[in-house]
Every structure is written in C-alpha cells, then in structure tokens.
Amino acid sequence: MLPGQGSQFASMGVSLYESDARFKRALDDFFDAFGTGAARLRREWLHGSAQDLGRGSFAQPLLFGINYAAGVVWLEELKDADVTLIGHSVGELAAATLAGAFDLGLAGALLNKRAQLLDAAPRGGMIACRAAEDSLRKHLDALGGRAVIAAENADNQCVVSCAEEDVPETMRYLGSQRVTCMRVASTEPFHSPLLAPAALEFEEFLAQRSHHLSSTKLPMVSAYSAQKISDQEVMPASFWTRQMAEKVNFWEALRSNCDSDPHTFVETGPGSVLSMAARRLPSVRTRLSAVVTTMSRHQRKAEQWASIRREVTESFS
C-alpha cells in the first residue's frame, strides 16, 4: 500500500536514504528523472518545515519518490511472494511505475509537470472526517456544494475537499453536526472539481507521451476505479490524470478486491493512514489478515525499518 497527500512528514525516509544503498539509489534515480527543480525538492525534503511539505508541489513528488524507492526495496525482498500493489492518489502513480505502466523517466516528467500545475492551481484544503459517506454527503449538500467528498478511506472515514476560503465554515458546520474532523496537511483541494483544469492539462501532457505507456507487469488494484488492472491493459492517459480531480475509492478497492482471502497489508510508504484503514476490514478484524506499518512518524530509525522488513519477508519464506 502506497500512501498519498497527508501522509508526508518532516524527515520522512531520511534515515533510510542514509543507511540503505538500494533505497538511496532508487530515490536518486527519481530525483534525476524529475529533472529541473530536483535540487530544490531535495532541499525541501532534507531541510524544509512541516508546513512547507504541505504544499502539493513539494509533497506530491516527494511522496512519489519515497514510495517508489521503498517499493523497489520491498519488491526485491518479496520477489518470491504473491504481491499486489495499491496506491492512494499520487501513491497510485508510484504503484503504476513499480508495476511497469510507466518507466521512471516518464514518471519523473509526470511528477514535474504535476508539481508545476499544483503551483498554479487554486488554493484549498482537505478535511479528514469520521463519518460514513452517505451521511457526510447530506451534510455537504446543506452547504450548497461548496465542499465535496474527495476520498472514502474506510467505512467511517472520509476526506472532504474545498476552496481555502470555505475550509473554516465547512469545519464549523460539520462540527455543529457532531462530525469529528481535522484538517489534512494540504494546500490544494485534491480530488475536487477545483482541480479539473489542472487535471485536463495533466491529461494532455501525458496523452502526448502515451506511446510510452505499457501494460502492468505486476498485479495492481486501482483506488481510482476500485478494480484490478489487467496485465494485458494499457490504461489511457485520462485514467492516470483525471484522478487528481476525482474521488479516491480506496475503501471500495480494498473491500472488493482484497478482503476475501488472507492478506498481509504492508504500508510501504510514509505514515499510517492506509494501515489504519486496512485494520477496519473484516478479514483483519477476525485476524484472517494482518496489517504492517513500515514508516510511521514514530518509526524513523533505519533499524526498525529493516527489522519489520525481515519479519515480513521471513513470513513468506
């Protein structure tokens, strides 16, 4: 499981970069592929504040890079295991790269363009809400459509997206309806119509390079379509780009594709958002499946990462 916006935190992955040669090589390869702006991106990662990392133009490529680098290491360790990839938002682009839909050169160009588009996009915010999608939608309807459901991450966990000027009123109203909510670390209204113009330009950019797209070589479940992507399919440019402005169906993707048989859900990227969602699956609650968090805010030492990786790898041997 590869996370997206909101999972980033200061110094994420730095200890791995300093101690794991494979992780460092893969992340350096991404910085090289990112091209112009990579030096600034690296500085923000190593020396920037948590507030700076809330900006999509920094957070998105960094999340991609760290997801990708961690994924390279994990896939090498689990080469004999039956692995399926799933990513949330920009994490889906990292999953697609690891699965072979993009080569790293194209992925770097995509993330660079995405960062440019986000710098020019409308300011906005995202709000994590403890509420079911149906009831939350009724509350948002009462606000006149100024906010939309951006993601359903679990059966009682959704994310709302809106323009910056509407964030305070949206949070006040939801609070008055006894919906527990908190702001996500984002300065853009991801997965909302406010980003539709950026998504269209992003689609045009990828469409011009669509001859570089390939079918996936590893199994992958899309949190955008909530369906498995066949290794025979070459998904169109719109599939990979419109999700910037459309809802993430992470919970449906997990529940429909990954809950009938025993699984080990491994969140290989930063944070624990996807791990918390997976723990709500019936198969996990009945201990048929297990969940592993590998890079939480509290697990910053490389030794911890290596220990977790060994335990998971040994469980498949």
Side-chain angles (χ1 to χ4, degrees):
M1 301 187 295
L2 293 83
Q5 187 80 26
S7 294
Q8 73 276 7
F9 55 88
S11 301
M12 57 182 179
V14 170
S15 64
L16 307 182
Y17 187 78
E18 294 172 342
S19 62
D20 191 306
R22 291 175 298 175
F23 183 94
K24 181 180 187 301
R25 182 167 55 250
L27 189 51
D28 283 343
D29 287 344
F30 167 68
F31 283 132
D32 288 343
F34 188 79
T36 304
R40 185 184 180 194
L41 187 62
R42 189 191 293 267
R43 284 196 304 272
E44 288 296 331
W45 173 50
L46 295 174
H47 307 295
S49 67
Q51 184 175 0
D52 291 334
L53 288 178
R55 292 177 57 185
S57 57
F58 293 138
Q60 297 270 304
L62 286 174
L63 282 166
F64 176 95
I66 292 171
N67 275 325
Y68 171 78
V72 166
V73 176
W74 274 95
L75 288 176
E76 183 176 323
E77 295 282 345
L78 296 172
K79 58 182 179 295
D80 297 323
D82 182 11
V83 173
T84 297
L85 300 167
I86 183 171
H88 190 291
S89 190
V90 73
E92 183 154 307
L93 296 182
T97 304
L98 292 165
F102 314 134
D103 63 28
L104 190 58
L106 177 56
L110 286 175
L111 269 294
N112 196 309
K113 181 64 176 180
R114 189 177 173 109
Q116 294 173 38
L117 291 170
L118 291 176
D119 267 337
R123 298 301 90 185
M126 302 179 75
I127 305 164
C129 303
R130 187 174 297 170
E133 183 176 2
D134 289 344
S135 63
L136 185 58
R137 183 171 286 110
K138 292 178 182 178
H139 294 317
L140 298 182
D141 287 344
L143 287 169
R146 288 182 293 171
V148 299
I149 296 176
E152 184 187 19
N153 291 336
D155 60 347
N156 200 39
Q157 297 173 356
C158 293
V159 178
V160 167
S161 192
C162 60
E164 181 62 36
E165 60 269 22
D166 292 325
V167 171
E169 176 57 28
T170 300
M171 293 190 71
R172 277 195 297 269
Y173 180 76
L174 291 174
S176 73
Q177 301 302 306
R178 298 187 178 182
V179 175
T180 302
C181 55
M182 64 178 292
R183 184 157 185 176
V184 175
S186 175
T187 59
E188 292 83 17
F190 285 104
H191 310 296
S192 81
L194 291 170
L195 288 188
L200 179 59
E201 190 171 344
F202 193 33
E203 180 183 344
E204 292 170 350
F205 180 84
L206 180 54
Q208 293 170 3
R209 296 157 179 80
S210 59
H211 56 285
H212 291 298
L213 293 172
S214 301
S215 58
T216 56
K217 307 302 187 294
L218 288 173
M220 177 178 169
V221 173
S222 169
Y224 171 52
S225 66
Q227 296 179 348
K228 291 181 179 178
I229 296 176
S230 166
D231 60 5
Q232 303 299 314
E233 291 179 295
V234 178
M235 307 306 291
S238 59
F239 184 88
W240 304 113
T241 53
R242 290 183 184 174
Q243 57 171 274
M244 181 191 291
E246 297 184 12
K247 178 173 167 276
V248 175
N249 296 293
F250 185 77
W251 179 242
E252 180 62 22
L254 277 188
R255 191 179 60 82
S256 298
N257 297 282
C258 307
D259 197 39
S260 57
D261 301 311
H263 285 81
T264 300
F265 295 93
V266 182
E267 186 165 11
T268 58
S272 56
V273 172
L274 305 189
S275 298
M276 289 190 292
R279 289 189 177 97
R280 301 180 72 85
L281 288 167
S283 66
V284 175
R285 289 182 168 182
T286 59
R287 299 187 179 182
L288 180 66
S289 296
V291 179
V292 178
T293 305
T294 69
M295 205 186 303
S296 75
R297 296 171 188 267
H298 308 295
Q299 292 170 329
R300 302 198 182 191
K301 293 183 179 180
E303 294 85 357
Q304 294 172 304
W305 194 66
S307 175
I308 293 168
R309 203 176 64 242
R310 281 195 301 272
E311 289 178 13
V312 173
T313 302
E314 289 171 1
S315 72
F316 287 99
S317 60

Coordinates of all heavy atoms in Angstrom, one line a residue, residues 122-159:
P122 N -5.8 26.5 -7.8 CA -6.4 27.2 -6.8 C -6.0 26.7 -5.4 O -5.8 25.5 -5.2 CB -7.9 27.0 -7.0 CG -8.0 26.5 -8.4 CD -6.7 25.8 -8.7
R123 N -5.9 27.6 -4.4 CA -5.6 27.1 -3.0 C -6.9 26.5 -2.5 O -8.0 26.9 -2.8 CB -5.2 28.3 -2.2 CG -3.9 29.0 -2.6 CD -2.7 28.1 -2.7 NE -2.5 27.5 -4.0 CZ -1.6 26.6 -4.3 NH1 -0.8 26.1 -3.3 NH2 -1.5 26.1 -5.5
G124 N -6.6 25.5 -1.6 CA -7.7 24.9 -1.0 C -7.3 24.0 0.2 O -6.1 24.0 0.5
G125 N -8.2 23.2 0.7 CA -7.8 22.4 1.8 C -8.6 21.1 1.8 O -9.6 20.9 1.0
M126 N -8.1 20.1 2.6 CA -8.8 18.8 2.7 C -9.0 18.6 4.2 O -8.2 18.9 5.0 CB -7.9 17.7 2.1 CG -7.6 18.0 0.6 SD -6.5 16.7 -0.1 CE -7.7 15.4 -0.3
I127 N -10.1 17.9 4.5 CA -10.6 17.7 5.9 C -10.9 16.3 6.1 O -11.7 15.7 5.4 CB -11.8 18.6 6.2 CG1 -11.6 20.1 5.9 CG2 -12.2 18.4 7.6 CD1 -12.8 20.9 5.8
A128 N -10.2 15.6 7.0 CA -10.5 14.2 7.3 C -11.7 14.2 8.3 O -11.7 14.9 9.3 CB -9.3 13.6 8.0
C129 N -12.6 13.4 8.0 CA -13.9 13.3 8.7 C -14.2 11.9 9.2 O -14.0 10.9 8.4 CB -15.1 13.8 7.9 SG -14.9 15.5 7.2
R130 N -14.7 11.8 10.4 CA -15.1 10.5 10.9 C -16.6 10.4 10.7 O -17.4 10.8 11.5 CB -14.8 10.3 12.4 CG -15.1 9.0 13.0 CD -14.6 8.8 14.4 NE -13.2 9.0 14.5 CZ -12.6 9.1 15.7 NH1 -13.2 9.1 16.8 NH2 -11.2 9.3 15.7
A131 N -17.0 9.9 9.5 CA -18.4 9.8 9.1 C -18.5 8.9 7.9 O -17.6 8.8 7.1 CB -18.9 11.2 8.7
A132 N -19.7 8.3 7.8 CA -19.9 7.5 6.6 C -20.2 8.4 5.4 O -20.7 9.5 5.6 CB -21.1 6.6 6.9
E133 N -19.9 7.8 4.2 CA -20.1 8.7 3.0 C -21.5 9.2 2.8 O -21.7 10.4 2.5 CB -19.6 7.9 1.8 CG -19.7 8.7 0.5 CD -19.1 7.9 -0.7 OE1 -18.8 6.8 -0.5 OE2 -19.1 8.5 -1.8
D134 N -22.5 8.4 3.0 CA -23.9 8.8 2.8 C -24.3 10.0 3.7 O -24.9 11.0 3.2 CB -24.8 7.6 2.9 CG -24.7 6.6 1.8 OD1 -24.1 7.0 0.8 OD2 -25.2 5.5 1.9
S135 N -24.0 9.8 5.0 CA -24.4 10.9 5.9 C -23.6 12.1 5.7 O -24.1 13.3 5.8 CB -24.2 10.4 7.4 OG -22.9 10.1 7.7
L136 N -22.3 12.0 5.4 CA -21.4 13.1 5.1 C -21.9 13.9 3.9 O -21.9 15.1 3.9 CB -20.0 12.7 4.9 CG -18.9 13.8 4.8 CD1 -18.9 14.7 6.0 CD2 -17.6 13.2 4.6
R137 N -22.3 13.2 2.8 CA -22.8 13.8 1.6 C -24.0 14.7 1.9 O -24.2 15.8 1.4 CB -23.1 12.8 0.6 CG -23.6 13.5 -0.8 CD -23.7 12.5 -1.9 NE -22.3 12.1 -2.4 CZ -21.8 10.9 -2.2 NH1 -22.5 9.9 -1.5 NH2 -20.6 10.6 -2.6
K138 N -24.9 14.2 2.8 CA -26.1 15.0 3.2 C -25.7 16.3 3.9 O -26.3 17.4 3.6 CB -27.0 14.2 4.1 CG -27.7 13.0 3.4 CD -28.5 12.2 4.4 CE -29.1 11.0 3.7 NZ -30.0 10.2 4.6
H139 N -24.7 16.3 4.7 CA -24.2 17.5 5.4 C -23.6 18.4 4.4 O -23.8 19.6 4.5 CB -23.1 17.1 6.4 CG -23.6 16.3 7.6 ND1 -24.8 16.6 8.2 CD2 -23.1 15.2 8.2 CE1 -25.0 15.7 9.2 NE2 -24.0 14.9 9.2
L140 N -22.9 17.9 3.4 CA -22.2 18.8 2.4 C -23.3 19.4 1.5 O -23.1 20.5 1.0 CB -21.2 18.0 1.6 CG -20.0 17.4 2.4 CD1 -19.1 16.7 1.5 CD2 -19.3 18.5 3.2
D141 N -24.3 18.7 1.2 CA -25.4 19.2 0.4 C -26.0 20.5 1.1 O -26.4 21.4 0.4 CB -26.5 18.2 0.2 CG -26.1 17.1 -0.8 OD1 -25.1 17.3 -1.5 OD2 -26.8 16.0 -0.8
A142 N -26.1 20.4 2.4 CA -26.6 21.6 3.1 C -25.7 22.8 3.0 O -26.2 23.9 3.2 CB -26.8 21.2 4.6
L143 N -24.5 22.6 2.7 CA -23.5 23.7 2.5 C -23.6 24.2 1.0 O -22.8 25.1 0.7 CB -22.1 23.3 2.8 CG -21.8 23.1 4.3 CD1 -20.4 22.4 4.4 CD2 -21.8 24.4 5.0
G144 N -24.5 23.7 0.2 CA -24.6 24.2 -1.1 C -23.6 23.8 -2.1 O -23.3 24.5 -3.1
G145 N -22.9 22.7 -1.9 CA -22.0 22.1 -2.8 C -20.6 22.8 -2.8 O -19.8 22.6 -3.7
R146 N -20.3 23.6 -1.8 CA -19.0 24.2 -1.7 C -17.9 23.3 -1.4 O -16.7 23.6 -1.5 CB -19.1 25.4 -0.7 CG -19.9 26.6 -1.2 CD -19.9 27.7 -0.1 NE -20.6 27.3 1.1 CZ -20.6 28.0 2.2 NH1 -19.8 29.1 2.3 NH2 -21.2 27.6 3.3
A147 N -18.3 22.1 -0.8 CA -17.3 21.1 -0.5 C -17.7 19.7 -1.0 O -18.9 19.5 -1.2 CB -17.1 21.0 1.0
V148 N -16.8 18.9 -1.4 CA -17.1 17.6 -1.9 C -16.4 16.5 -1.2 O -15.3 16.7 -0.5 CB -16.8 17.5 -3.4 CG1 -17.5 18.5 -4.2 CG2 -15.3 17.7 -3.6
I149 N -16.8 15.3 -1.3 CA -16.1 14.1 -0.8 C -15.0 13.8 -1.7 O -15.2 13.4 -2.9 CB -17.1 12.9 -0.5 CG1 -18.1 13.3 0.5 CG2 -16.3 11.7 -0.1 CD1 -19.2 12.2 0.7
A150 N -13.8 13.9 -1.2 CA -12.6 13.6 -2.0 C -12.1 12.2 -2.0 O -11.5 11.7 -2.9 CB -11.5 14.6 -1.6
A151 N -12.4 11.5 -0.9 CA -11.9 10.1 -0.7 C -12.8 9.4 0.3 O -13.2 10.0 1.3 CB -10.5 10.1 -0.3
E152 N -13.0 8.2 0.1 CA -13.5 7.3 1.1 C -12.4 6.3 1.5 O -12.1 5.4 0.7 CB -14.8 6.6 0.7 CG -15.4 5.7 1.8 CD -16.6 4.8 1.3 OE1 -16.7 4.6 0.1 OE2 -17.3 4.4 2.2
N153 N -11.9 6.4 2.6 CA -10.7 5.6 3.0 C -11.1 4.4 3.8 O -10.3 3.4 3.8 CB -9.7 6.5 3.8 CG -9.0 7.5 2.9 OD1 -9.0 7.4 1.7 ND2 -8.6 8.6 3.5
A154 N -12.2 4.4 4.5 CA -12.6 3.3 5.3 C -14.1 3.5 5.5 O -14.7 4.4 5.0 CB -11.9 3.2 6.6
D155 N -14.7 2.5 6.3 CA -16.2 2.5 6.3 C -16.8 3.7 7.1 O -17.9 4.0 7.0 CB -16.7 1.2 7.0 CG -16.1 0.9 8.3 OD1 -15.2 1.6 8.7 OD2 -16.7 0.0 9.0
N156 N -15.9 4.4 7.9 CA -16.4 5.5 8.6 C -15.4 6.7 8.6 O -15.3 7.5 9.5 CB -16.7 5.1 10.1 CG -17.6 6.1 10.8 OD1 -18.6 6.6 10.2 ND2 -17.4 6.4 12.0
Q157 N -14.6 6.7 7.5 CA -13.5 7.7 7.3 C -13.5 8.2 5.9 O -13.2 7.5 5.0 CB -12.2 7.0 7.7 CG -12.1 6.5 9.1 CD -10.8 5.7 9.4 OE1 -10.0 5.5 8.5 NE2 -10.6 5.3 10.6
C158 N -13.8 9.5 5.8 CA -13.8 10.1 4.5 C -13.0 11.4 4.6 O -12.6 11.9 5.7 CB -15.2 10.5 4.1 SG -16.3 9.1 3.8
V159 N -12.6 11.9 3.4 CA -11.9 13.2 3.3 C -12.7 14.1 2.4 O -13.3 13.7 1.4 CB -10.5 13.0 2.7 CG1 -9.8 14.3 2.5 CG2 -9.7 12.1 3.5

